[in-house]
Amino acid sequence: MTPVTTIQHLSDHVGHDVELQGWVYNTRSSGKLGFLMIRDGTGIVQGVVSSQGVPAEVFAAFETLTQESAITVRGEVREDQRAPGGYEILVSDLEVHQIAEDYPISPKEHGTAFLMDHRHLWLRSRRQHAIMLIRHEVIRACRDFLDSNDFVLVDTPIITPNAVEGTTTLFELEYFGRSAYLTQSGQLYNEANAMALRKVYCFGPTFRAEKSKTRRHLTEFWMVEPEIAYCDLECNIGWAEELVAYIVRRILETRMEQLKVLERDVGRLEVIKTPFPRVSYTEAVDILHKAGVEFEWGGDFGGSDETVISEQYDQPLIVHRFPAAIKAFYMKRDPEDERLVLGVDILAPEGYGEIVGGGQREDDLQVLVQRLEEEDLPREVYEWYLDLRRFGTVPHSGFGMGIERVVAWITGVQHLRETIPYPRTLTRLEP
Ligand code: 4AD
Ligand code: MG
C-alpha cells in the first residue's frame, strides 16, 4: 500500500511512492509531458505526468483536468531545487473524483468585490491560505503565552444585558420579550472572573455595529482579553507588550514561508522588541501638532491621527493616560490628574492603528456609581458588576487585543477583511 501523506510532509518521503489527496491548482502540458500543480490544503506541489511513463488512460485522465478538480495522485517524491517548494511528484497514477465546473477565480486579476463575493472559494488561493495559517499561529501564540504564564481561560457570554464600550455600537436582539445585546467585549465578566481566579482571559468573537466604512473596522471580530487582579496600569502595560512581542517572535520562527508568499518586509518585524516606546496622550497630541495636524486636546484619535503618531516609531507604540471624556465608564481616574484615566492603547507600526486597548479599572464603588450615572447607563443591569466593588475590591487591570488588527499588521495586509475567513462589515453579510 502506498502511504497517504500531505504536501507539508513530503520531505519524509523522498525517493518513495506516496499518495496525495487534493485539488488541481492548474495544469499545463508540452506534448508528451503534463505538469500539474496539486493543492492539498497543506501546500502546493508540482506533479509531472509523462505520457510514456504512465498507462494511456492515466494520461487521458490528466488531459480532462480543470482547475479545482478533485483528485488523488500517486507517485514518487523527488527532491528538485527548481520546483516550487523544493519537491516534485513523478506521477504514476491519477484518480479523478470530480471534474470541476468552470472555476470563477482564474489566475487573472479580479476586483476585491468579486473576490469577496467568492470568499468561500477565494480562501483556496495561495495568498489567503498564507494569511489563514498566520492567523491560526497568532491565536495559538496568544494561548501559549497566556497559558504558560498561569492565566486561566474563562469563557464570557456572547449574549448580555449590558453595554461595555458605549451604547452606539450595540447589536440589539430580542431575547424572549426583553432586549439583549451581542457582546462588545468580555471585560466586565472578566473582572468578576479575575476576582475568582486571579489571572484570567477570555477569547471569543465580539460584535460592534460600526456604522463607518473603514479598512480597520469589522462588525464581528475576535478579541483576546486578559484580566489581572492586583495589577496596576504599569503591570498591565508589561503584560500587553510581552504578549505582542511574543506573537511576533512566534510568527518569525514558524511562518517565514507564509510571510514570503505575502511579500512581507520581515525586517520590520525582526526589529520588534520590548520595552516598547511610550507616550502619554498629551505627548501624542504634541506629536500631531509638530506634524502639522490640527487636533484639539480632548478629542479621540482617528485612524489617520494614529498613523501619524505611530509612524514616528519603528516599534509598537504605547499611548497612556487619556482624557476621561473619550474613554469608557469603567476606567480608573488618574490620581495625579483628574481629567485623565489610566487607559492604555498600543498602536502598531506602519500605520496599522490600535491593536490593543485596555487599562486599570475603577475599583471604587462610589466613583463607579457616579460614572454610570454620568454616562446615563441603567444601573440595574450593572448591579452584579458593582458587587465586585462591594466584596473585596482591589486594583486590577486588563486589555483587549484585536486578532484581525494584529494579523493585518503582521501579514502586511491593508484591509481587515482579508484577515478573517468570513468578514462582516457594514456592507457585507455574505457569504
Ligand atoms: O479598545 P477596545 O474597544 O477595548 C475594549 O473592548 C476593552 N473592553 C478590552 C479590555 O480591556 N478587555 O477594543 C480592543 C481592541 C482594539 O484595540 C482593536 O484591536 C480591536 O479590539 N477592535 C476592533 N477590531 C476590528 N474591528 C473593530 N470594529 C474593532 N474594535 C476594536
Ligand atoms: Mg480602543
Side-chain angles (χ1 to χ4, degrees), residues 270-291:
E270 279 162 349
V271 298
I272 305 298
K273 61 169 197 299
T274 58
F276 296 158
R278 297 182 186 198
V279 295
S280 67
Y281 167 88
T282 304
E283 288 165 333
V285 172
D286 284 344
I287 293 176
L288 285 177
H289 289 163
K290 285 204 184 94

Side-chain angles (χ1 to χ4, degrees), residues 386-401:
L386 295 174
D387 268 355
L388 307 176
R389 278 64 180 172
R390 293 189 182 101
F391 306 112
T393 187
V394 297
H396 63 287
S397 305
F399 61 92
M401 191 186 77

Side-chain angles (χ1 to χ4, degrees), residues 2-10 13 17-23 36-40 42-47 70-77 87-91 93-95 97:
T2 317
V4 180
T5 189
T6 50
I7 293 169
Q8 66 183 339
H9 293 303
L10 284 181
H13 300 273
D17 274 5
V18 295
E19 178 176 311
L20 292 177
Q21 304 162 325
W23 297 265
L36 168 65
M37 296 304 279
I38 307 156
R39 177 183 78 71
D40 80 342
T42 75
I44 294 180
V45 70
Q46 174 168 278
I71 53 171
T72 292
V73 160
R74 289 177 205 90
E76 186 190 325
V77 183
Y87 300 96
E88 193 176 73
I89 306 287
L90 188 60
V91 176
D93 192 19
L94 176 68
E95 222 176 284
H97 306 296

Side-chain angles (χ1 to χ4, degrees), residues 31 82 90 135 162 221 223 284 296 321 338 406:
R82 290 160 309 164
L90 188 60
R135 177 184 169 99
N162 35 247
F221 60 99
M223 188 157 43
E296 204 175 326
R321 293 180 171 79
E338 268 301 293
V406 171

Side-chain angles (χ1 to χ4, degrees), residues 78 101 116 168 189 309 371:
R78 292 186 165 182
E101 294 177 21
M116 273 297 159
T168 56
Y189 296 95
I309 297 163
R371 287 293 292 134

Side-chain angles (χ1 to χ4, degrees), residues 164-165 184-187 190 208 210 216-219 221 223 225-227 327 330 345-346 354-359 361 398-405 416:
V164 191
E165 297 299 328
Q184 299 165 305
S185 155
Q187 181 195 320
N190 249 352
R208 302 208 188 161
E210 304 278 2
R216 292 180 188 168
H217 289 91
L218 297 167
T219 55
F221 60 99
M223 188 157 43
E225 299 182 77
E227 190 74 29
K327 288 290 181 185
Y330 55 70
D345 282 358
I346 299 183
E354 180 193 327
I355 50 173
V356 167
R361 320 306 189 188
F399 61 92
M401 191 186 77
I403 293 299
E404 291 76 17
R405 297 265 182 100
L416 244 50

